[in-house]
Amino acid sequence: MAEKTKEEKKKVAPKKKAVVKKEPKKMKTPQTLRGMKDILPQDGKIWRHILDIAQGITTAYNFQYVETPIVEEAKLFVRTIGKGTDIVSKEMYSFEDADGSKLALRPEGTASIARSYINNGLLTQPQPVKMWYYGPMFRRERPQAGRYRQFHQFGCEIIGDADPVADAQLIVMGYNFYKDLGIETNVNVNSIGTPDDRERYLVELVGYLRSKRSYLSEESRKRISKNPLRILDSKDPQDQEVVAEAPQIIDWLSENSRQYFMSVLEYLDQLDIPYVLKPTLVRGLDYYTDTVFEFFDANAPEKSQSALGGGGRYNILVETLGGEPTPATGFAIGIDRVVDIIRKRVNGGKYTIESPLLSLYFAHLGEPAKKQSLHLIEELRRNGINLYHDLGKPSLKAQLERANKIEATHAIILGQKEMQDGTIIIRDMSSGIQEIVDQKKLAREIHKIQKNLKK
Ligand code: AMP
């Protein structure tokens, strides 16, 4: 046989390449963005509880739940909140869409609600329209405790009501929301009058601030021409000395606005709401008129970033957005800060979120029981009975350990024997007493236990 040429050899037995088994490259896990956070399962109960309280309050005062999109045209916020504000000039997440339109992640909820009121012809509905919302807001602020770049607000708006009692009722609602959560608040109130009042006042204020320019912090010096009202809110001790002597907006109110503010305060007195008149409270956004207010935790020092919520009247907002002149008023409450307070109290044993009287764990043993459990769980759910279960856990011991961990009041156990005779066990977890009942009567038996617990 002729010897194979080199080339032929290559064809027959190609050189074996050393096979190096490549480990799949492990991805570096992405992290949440700075100032943004996950809401974790251990906090889920706190968030739900707070939202339940919000739901209760809004139902009691007859507000309807609404939602608006998270992304809007950027100009919606620029025109209403104001170009000179930090929110719009520094903190808004704005971007250009593929078609060139300028969009923004909403930094707050009120402007969107006013837009929605106009777009959807809510003016034709019986007035006022009382709406509440909840959802994430975005501001690219410098993150720190209680200050996030994505945070959540619960807000209430009354559109189409010019009466001072509406402002007072919103303040009461906010105050009671915190009170229902065991948080005592200080309510600061002020009036910033009409845009005309504010213009006249600003001339006076800017003149004063210019005369004290050398005593102001650098940041405030820059603000004299851009956003002088914001200086009133400065927490810099140097600025505060100047602000203490500054002209106060309350002295520049027109007669109507003064009378209006007096009425708001009278209603608050009627309702025994403790409030503090705060001449430097202006809330900075362009759309506010007349009443402005803020809530602070009464048991914590007031810092610039510690307000729990705030609001005010915004009689010019709907008109600014091209609608009919429509009086309106509202508030927004920061939920993240409330969660932080409640979490601390829960962990310190100073606050308990009440669990339902009856908490059931459904346990099974063996494959046939697992299948039957699927049916029984559905049937109980149809009867309004909620259960915890881990159908993926085969061991009865592990399931009952879990029942203990979640502090179930009762375990419902479907074992092999019960499968055979069509029964099921209800075990009282604290006494250990077990009752065997007919599977068909399970829902009825649970309702009976529930009734007895309520007694
Ligand atoms: P504002 O309308 O800016 O006064 O916001 C109303 C409430 O939302 C504030 O009182 C805070 O409780 C909350 N809030 C505003 N900005 C943030 C933020 N960056 N992080 C967390 N909560 C915020």
Side-chain angles (χ1 to χ4, degrees):
M1 218 160 72
E3 250 195 45
K4 284 181 178 152
T5 64
K6 248 187 187 177
E7 279 310 296
E8 280 168 335
K9 269 186 194 164
K10 248 190 196 170
K11 264 188 200 163
V12 178
K15 218 178 178 183
K16 266 193 190 159
K17 266 192 197 161
V19 183
V20 185
K21 239 192 176 176
K22 262 195 183 168
E23 282 292 320
K25 208 173 168 196
K26 220 172 169 203
M27 181 182 186
K28 190 164 177 280
T29 311
Q31 304 292 308
T32 50
L33 300 174
R34 213 163 106 76
M36 304 204 176
K37 61 179 167 20
D38 300 314
I39 296 173
L40 299 172
Q42 58 265 36
D43 277 349
K45 203 169 162 184
I46 296 177
W47 281 85
R48 290 300 333 159
H49 175 64
I50 293 169
L51 293 178
D52 284 349
I53 301 282
Q55 163 95 58
I57 285 273
T58 50
T59 306
Y61 289 87
N62 267 304
F63 283 68
Q64 307 293 329
Y65 183 73
V66 294
E67 275 191 31
T68 57
I70 285 168
V71 185
E72 296 266 9
E73 281 190 78
K75 70 177 177 210
L76 168 64
F77 306 112
V78 177
R79 299 249 175 99
T80 56
I81 296 172
K83 258 192 192 145
T85 58
D86 284 356
I87 297 184
V88 166
S89 67
K90 293 194 207 153
E91 299 163 1
M92 200 156 75
Y93 283 91
S94 35
F95 57 96
E96 213 173 273
D97 202 3
D99 63 3
S101 42
K102 294 204 167 55
L103 308 181
L105 300 188
R106 62 179 182 196
E108 57 109 56
T110 305
S112 308
I113 299 271
R115 176 201 50 67
S116 170
Y117 177 89
I118 303 168
N119 290 163
N120 297 291
L122 299 185
L123 182 64
T124 58
Q125 290 191 2
Q127 304 293 300
V129 182
K130 293 163 89 178
M131 296 171 268
W132 77 280
Y133 63 88
Y134 164 77
M137 306 295 159
F138 303 83
R139 294 182 198 171
R140 205 173 187 290
E141 294 192 74
R142 198 163 51 78
Q144 52 179 247
R147 189 158 70 177
Y148 310 99
R149 289 182 170 179
Q150 176 175 339
F151 58 97
H152 302 75
Q153 284 184 339
F154 145 53
C156 289
E157 315 285 1
I158 304 179
I159 305 194
D161 191 340
D163 199 292
V165 80
D167 299 11
Q169 280 199 302
L170 281 169
I171 294 173
V172 176
M173 272 182 83
Y175 182 80
N176 284 337
F177 166 77
Y178 299 113
K179 202 167 158 209
D180 286 358
L181 285 163
I183 302 173
E184 204 191 314
T185 50
N186 289 334
V187 188
N188 294 342
V189 290
N190 195 21
S191 171
I192 57 168
T194 63
D196 283 347
D197 300 344
R198 204 145 69 233
E199 215 166 284
R200 285 186 298 119
Y201 168 69
L202 277 174
V203 174
E204 187 70 16
L205 178 68
V206 169
Y208 169 80
L209 291 172
R210 288 216 166 106
S211 74
K212 302 284 173 186
R213 200 186 148 80
S214 54
Y215 300 101
L216 288 171
S217 67
E218 208 185 315
E219 187 66 31
S220 288
R221 266 183 244 162
K222 279 189 227 153
R223 285 194 168 127
I224 295 180
S225 51
K226 272 199 223 149
N227 192 358
L229 286 178
R230 183 80 166 66
I231 300 173
L232 299 180
D233 202 28
S234 167
K235 295 293 178 251
D236 187 308
Q238 215 178 319
D239 293 338
Q240 282 183 342
E241 268 181 44
V242 177
V243 167
E245 302 292 318
Q248 298 185 349
I249 196 159
I250 200 106
D251 296 325
W252 294 82
L253 298 186
S254 51
E255 188 50 27
N256 276 352
S257 280
R258 213 182 57 77
Q259 284 294 339
Y260 183 93
F261 189 43
M262 287 319 200
S263 304
V264 174
L265 300 182
E266 257 172 50
Y267 293 128
L268 290 179
D269 289 335
Q270 282 289 319
L271 290 156
D272 271 340
I273 299 294
Y275 59 83
V276 177
L277 283 177
K278 190 90 191 273
T280 54
L281 174 63
V282 287
R283 292 204 36 80
L285 313 194
D286 283 3
Y287 60 62
Y288 282 118
T289 52
D290 290 304
T291 323
V292 285
F293 54 90
E294 266 178 354
F295 300 97
F296 284 85
D297 182 353
N299 293 309
E302 264 182 41
K303 288 192 254 149
S304 63
Q305 290 305 329
S306 67
L308 297 181
R313 186 158 270 286
Y314 50 93
N315 288 345
I316 52 171
L317 178 56
V318 174
E319 197 179 353
T320 304
L321 287 171
E324 294 298 315
T326 310
T329 179
F331 69 65
I333 283 173
I335 294 296
D336 305 69
R337 290 181 189 172
V338 176
V339 169
D340 291 345
I341 295 176
I342 299 290
R343 186 197 298 108
K344 262 190 217 143
R345 294 192 184 173
V346 168
N347 291 343
K350 293 197 179 113
Y351 191 89
T352 27
I353 297 173
E354 271 188 31
S355 311
L357 290 174
L358 184 70
S359 155
L360 302 169
Y361 187 91
F362 195 110
H364 72 285
L365 183 64
E367 189 59 27
K370 183 175 176 180
K371 286 189 181 133
Q372 176 68 351
S373 299
L374 288 171
H375 291 293
L376 288 173
I377 288 167
E378 282 310 303
E379 194 189 316
L380 291 176
R381 190 186 56 76
R382 280 196 295 275
N383 279 282
I385 297 165
N386 296 323
L387 308 152
Y388 290 90
H389 43 78
D390 292 294
L391 290 181
K393 270 196 206 324
S395 141
L396 187 61
K397 188 167 167 257
Q399 291 178 67
L400 291 178
E401 270 169 14
R402 173 83 142 204
N404 264 323
K405 195 143 195 201
I406 61 156
E407 295 175 357
T409 54
H410 294 75
I412 297 162
I413 306 164
L414 183 60
Q416 281 147 348
K417 182 169 179 304
E418 290 75 38
M419 271 304 287
Q420 274 165 12
D421 30 292
T423 58
I424 193 158
I425 299 170
I426 303 177
R427 179 195 287 183
D428 183 320
M429 293 295 281
S430 52
S431 67
I433 296 172
Q434 301 198 148
E435 204 185 331
I436 299 172
V437 302
D438 190 332
Q439 279 176 26
K440 290 197 191 87
K441 293 187 185 150
L442 181 57
R444 210 180 312 159
E445 289 300 324
I446 293 173
H447 280 140
K448 234 194 257 169
I449 296 173
Q450 203 160 22
K451 238 189 200 163
N452 286 337
L453 284 174
K454 277 186 191 153
K455 273 182 196 162

